[in-house]
Amino acid sequence: GPAQDGMLLLNLSYDRETNKGWYVIRMEPGSESITHQHQQVEDFLILEGELIESDGVVLKPGDFVSYPPGTSHNSRTQTGCLLIGMDHD
């Protein structure tokens, strides 16, 4: 989903027209993404901190997750989080 307060987005190769490419997101402690539905695959790898998914799963450094098209979720962090992500077919 779009970056919210407390979230910094670094675009590495993300193309807003195709909604594909690589990006880095830093989430400050207490920040949360809005609930969103994926139109394509979203992958991300946690680099620092913890990310809590809407189903309660806590992702930590080294954890990788892949969301298929049609997946709806949001993410939040209590400690802060740094992740690298990619949207693709």
Side-chain angles (χ1 to χ4, degrees):
Q4 302 297 303
D5 289 341
M7 296 172 66
L8 301 172
L9 173 68
L10 173 62
N11 181 349
L12 299 178
S13 69
Y14 189 79
D15 181 332
R16 294 196 184 275
E17 287 186 28
T18 63
N19 295 321
K20 295 178 186 175
W22 290 93
Y23 51 87
V24 175
I25 295 178
R26 178 172 297 280
M27 297 175 69
E28 298 299 323
S31 61
E32 184 171 354
S33 70
I34 60 171
T35 300
H36 56 282
Q37 185 172 32
H38 294 280
Q39 302 304 311
Q40 51 201 349
V41 178
E42 178 185 51
D43 298 329
F44 52 81
L45 174 68
I46 306 301
L47 301 175
E48 295 176 1
E50 292 181 348
L51 191 67
I52 305 165
E53 291 299 282
S54 51
D55 62 2
V57 170
V58 178
L59 302 168
K60 297 182 179 188
D63 287 343
F64 175 83
V65 66
S66 183
Y67 291 104
T71 301
S72 180
H73 76 114
N74 79 307
S75 306
R76 63 184 176 87
T77 181
Q78 295 175 335
T79 62
C81 181
L82 177 66
L83 65 88
I84 187 166
M86 180 184 188
D87 289 351
H88 61 94
D89 290 331

